Amino acid sequence: MNWPGTQGDAPFGTPFMNWYFGRVHALAARDPQVLVRFVRVANMIDSPVRIFHPRVLAPVLTRSTRVAPSP
């Protein structure tokens, strides 16, 4: 539902999922364990439920997702 030209109503939970996966992507840039879990789910090696494992969920809910600027 984030793409221009997408039509129709967003399914229930879409705003949360967009927020959650935005945070997962930002954390994956600096947390190797989050990256591995995300890649395994994205490549259908693991169930999508694994992206909500406490090892991912806790930092998504508690850590800043800002990436430090490059020197």
Side-chain angles (χ1 to χ4, degrees):
M1 302 307 291
N2 277 345
W3 301 101
T6 301
Q7 298 179 355
D9 295 328
F12 177 78
T14 298
F16 170 77
M17 294 301 286
N18 289 340
W19 173 84
Y20 187 83
F21 279 97
R23 306 245 331 169
V24 168
H25 292 157
L27 286 168
R30 65 176 198 247
D31 186 326
Q33 291 185 27
V34 173
L35 175 62
V36 168
R37 286 180 187 274
F38 174 74
V39 169
R40 289 184 61 86
V41 168
N43 285 285
M44 294 187 256
I45 296 167
D46 289 340
S47 165
V49 173
R50 302 261 309 160
I51 207 68
F52 295 97
H53 183 278
R55 179 62 188 87
V56 178
L57 182 64
V60 162
L61 297 177
T62 61
R63 288 189 200 163
S64 170
T65 58
R66 283 190 267 157
V67 177
S70 298

